Amino acid sequence: MTELIGAASPWLRRFSEDHALILGSSSKWRRKVLSSANVRVTDSLDPSIDEKAIRHENAETLVLAISNAKADSCLLKIEEAAKQNDQLYLVCTDQVAVCEGHIREKPESEEEARAFIRSYSEEGKPAETCSGVVVVHVASGRREEGVYWNKIRFNRIPEIVVDEIVRGDVIYTTCGGFSADWPVMAAYVGEIQGGMDGVMGMPLGLLEDLFKRLLCRKT
């Protein structure tokens, strides 16, 4: 099963055309979601923060704390731009994977990667993603935040495919050691509750809702 990213709503596409959006992330996956959904991004920034210095056992608290830290860092870099553009908005996100209530980081070894995949493939445990999104109206400093959950279930992955996965480098760059967008693993996705945009860390429905909340606060 492979779920494609469709176009964003007409409202979100129009908002991105009428305003300047800066993506506070170096993630090619989040940029890909926005591009595939026809959401225009003016620029992107690398927040350059130490994410591992921010820890919490609650997934929602953790992703919002990191997203806000990214926003704080990016705002320092665009202070001058904010003075010249009242229509400038900053978008920062973070995501963690969760399995059976436990946060999973990027696998640090082949052994750990195999254990993660085994839990999804052989034991049938769902992989969940928790995405935190923070949007900021840069000129005023007003911000809104929210979280979005996805659940992904994998069909059984043949051992020969598991070997291919763990000998590559993709899953060592993803929290939880899985990628529902990577063709090698996407072929074994059985079900996605939520959407591929959320799995890839940029839930478009939540993003739109946060922009609308900010606009309501301006009036």
Side-chain angles (χ1 to χ4, degrees), residues 186-212:
Y188 298 95
V189 173
E191 178 187 16
I192 293 177
Q193 295 178 17
M196 186 61 78
D197 54 334
V199 173
M200 295 174 67
M202 184 57 70
L204 297 171
L206 174 59
L207 181 63
E208 178 175 335
D209 182 56
L210 297 179
F211 281 136
K212 288 179 176 177

Side-chain angles (χ1 to χ4, degrees), residues 2-219:
T2 301
E3 182 180 339
L4 301 177
I5 298 168
S9 72
W11 188 95
L12 184 54
R13 297 200 305 273
R14 186 169 59 251
F15 183 86
S16 72
E17 293 166 359
D18 294 341
H19 301 80
L21 306 187
I22 294 180
L23 177 61
S25 173
S26 58
S27 167
K28 65 179 181 180
W29 307 113
R30 288 160 194 158
R31 190 68 182 257
K32 180 180 178 181
V33 171
L34 295 172
S35 175
S36 298
N38 297 320
V39 176
R40 186 177 71 92
V41 174
T42 305
D43 199 1
S44 60
L45 291 173
D46 185 347
S48 302
I49 67 166
D50 181 6
E51 297 183 25
K52 287 191 177 295
I54 304 172
R55 298 287 87 187
H56 200 282
E57 62 183 15
N58 180 277
E60 294 188 359
T61 301
L62 178 60
V63 294
L64 288 178
I66 294 177
S67 296
N68 276 293
K70 290 178 179 178
D72 293 340
S73 176
C74 289
L75 287 171
L76 294 175
K77 302 177 182 181
I78 55 177
E79 286 179 329
E80 291 304 315
K83 297 175 183 177
Q84 303 170 22
N85 189 351
D86 185 55
Q87 301 302 313
L88 185 63
Y89 288 81
L90 172 67
V91 178
C92 293
T93 70
D94 189 63
Q95 185 183 70
V96 297
V98 178
C99 186
E100 293 193 312
H102 299 289
I103 294 175
R104 287 185 170 179
E105 305 283 356
K106 299 169 185 175
E108 297 182 351
S109 65
E110 180 177 321
E111 182 181 6
E112 186 173 41
R114 286 185 183 276
F116 283 176
I117 296 171
R118 188 181 307 115
S119 67
Y120 310 136
S121 168
E122 298 178 19
E123 300 170 16
K125 297 175 182 177
E128 295 182 276
T129 59
C130 178
S131 299
V133 182
V134 171
V135 297
V136 186
H137 178 243
V138 178
S140 67
R142 292 189 302 269
R143 65 178 71 187
E144 290 286 345
E145 63 182 39
V147 297
Y148 188 86
W149 285 87
N150 277 91
K151 183 177 289 187
I152 307 97
R153 293 186 181 276
F154 286 89
N155 296 321
R156 188 175 182 86
I157 303 174
E159 194 63 30
I160 190 172
V161 177
V162 174
D163 290 340
E164 178 183 356
I165 293 170
V166 300
R167 289 169 185 164
D169 57 6
V170 173
I171 62 165
Y172 298 100
T173 66
T174 63
C175 58
F178 68 89
S179 174
D181 181 60
W182 183 32
V184 177
M185 293 196 78
Y188 298 95
V189 173
E191 178 187 16
I192 293 177
Q193 295 178 17
M196 186 61 78
D197 54 334
V199 173
M200 295 174 67
M202 184 57 70
L204 297 171
L206 174 59
L207 181 63
E208 178 175 335
D209 182 56
L210 297 179
F211 281 136
K212 288 179 176 177
R213 285 192 224 168
L214 277 181
L215 291 177
C216 288
R217 290 175 61 184
K218 290 177 65 176
T219 59

